[in-house]
Amino acid sequence: MVKFGYTILYVEDVEKSISFYENAFGFSRKFVTPENDYGELSTGETTISFASKKLAAQNLSEGFIESSLEDKPFAIELGFITDNVGELVQKATSFGALLIKEPAQKPWGQIVAYVRDLDGFLIEVCTEMQG
């Protein structure tokens, strides 16, 4: 059996990113290393993890493409499900998220909005898919 365990975001400041996700989305901190170079959030079934770019560089000697608000987002997103998309988007932007697309209803009934976090990662905030 294979289980999807976590996604790791490579960020400039692990503590700052953890705090943003706690405040903006209400997730709870699992832990942060004493060196502040790795941390995890409890989000339900799957964990969102954060590694400093410095730590990532130690693991990936060939380098990697860094996420940045100055560049277009990667072709990947984190999806957060909520009953009130507008309220959560407002809360996230009040803690520094960048609004990309206002909440809108899709033809299949789902409400979807997009923000980017402090490091430029794309986040979809949406209602649960029905069907």
Side-chain angles (χ1 to χ4, degrees), residues 26-41:
F27 297 129
S28 60
R29 179 183 307 230
K30 270 184 159 177
F31 75 92
V32 175
T33 61
E35 301 80 18
N36 285 324
D37 61 357
Y38 180 81
E40 294 182 351
L41 290 170

Side-chain angles (χ1 to χ4, degrees), residues 51-67:
S52 68
K53 292 177 182 178
K54 183 178 178 182
L55 180 61
Q58 293 172 9
N59 295 330
L60 300 170
S61 60
E62 298 290 320
F64 55 91
I65 299 171
E66 294 185 23
S67 180

